[in-house]
Amino acid sequence: MYDLNRNEVPGSTVRDRFYWRDVGTIDSFFDAHQDLISALPIFNLYNEQWPIFSSQLNSPPAKFVRDSRGALGEVIDSIVSLGCVVSGAHLERSVLGTWVSIESGAVVTDTVVFERSQIGEGAIVRRAILDKGVVVSPGATVGVDREADLARGFTVTQSGITVVGKGILVE
């Protein structure tokens, strides 16, 4: 058993020294990601004295661009990984894995999106976890209508988090 009381983390504070979070349920996994995007997360990804060593991808930086009509996208309180492109869309309180694209007019809030997923033009995704390679078609919704999500075979927790499995096409 690991003894957190003996854990010495350079650069930590009293608040984050003994950080531990169980992510064994969908809700706790979601909550851990929501904590990461808070203004002062308990688990500090930016502690330069105790760096996080993750895989180094040969990928371009994330890009936030106007869409073809010149509409601005906006990203608020989110973490966006390498290779992502947000084009004229609204992204808020969300975490994007690598190579995610969000197209014009899409609205993505309170969501965790795994790598290489695509969210089409005008789609709406709320309180969701999208696994790798999910494609949300233009105009489709996830997390908006619980009964529709259940009818499509998605998992929806009691707290309302919708989970879409790997490689699923959402129409």
Side-chain angles (χ1 to χ4, degrees):
M1 179 176 354
Y2 188 79
D3 184 359
L4 289 173
N5 292 317
R6 296 174 49 176
N7 193 38
E8 294 294 328
V9 177
S12 67
T13 66
V14 173
R15 182 174 173 260
D16 63 11
R17 181 168 181 229
F18 301 115
Y19 179 86
W20 179 259
R21 178 165 257 177
D22 178 5
V23 292
T25 68
I26 292 169
D27 287 322
S28 63
F29 178 84
F30 181 84
D31 290 343
H33 281 80
Q34 290 299 297
D35 180 55
L36 289 175
I37 59 174
S38 67
L40 295 170
I42 296 171
F43 184 65
N44 184 3
L45 295 174
Y46 303 95
N47 178 353
E48 291 184 22
Q49 295 178 46
W50 191 262
I52 304 293
F53 293 103
S54 60
S55 62
Q56 297 298 308
L57 303 172
N58 289 322
S59 300
K63 181 166 75 169
F64 311 95
V65 296
R66 296 174 193 264
D67 66 12
S68 61
R69 295 180 297 272
L72 289 174
E74 58 185 348
V75 177
I76 303 166
D77 296 334
S78 296
I79 294 175
V80 180
S81 298
L82 292 173
C84 291
V85 177
V86 178
S87 177
H90 178 87
L91 177 68
E92 189 167 355
R93 294 181 312 277
S94 297
V95 177
L96 302 184
T98 55
W99 292 98
V100 169
S101 65
I102 304 177
E103 297 177 15
S104 177
V107 177
V108 179
T109 57
D110 301 306
T111 295
V112 178
V113 184
F114 282 75
E115 64 255 26
R116 299 200 182 272
S117 291
Q118 301 170 5
I119 300 171
E121 184 173 345
I124 299 173
V125 181
R126 294 185 187 143
R127 287 186 54 80
I129 299 171
L130 307 182
D131 203 345
K132 299 174 184 175
V134 167
V135 176
V136 180
S137 297
T141 64
V142 174
V144 174
D145 182 337
R146 177 185 181 88
E147 296 309 315
D149 288 342
L150 289 169
R152 293 186 283 189
F154 304 155
T155 297
V156 182
T157 68
Q158 286 293 89
S159 68
I161 298 165
T162 302
V163 181
V164 180
K166 185 187 289 186
I168 297 292
L169 171 63
V170 180
E171 298 184 287

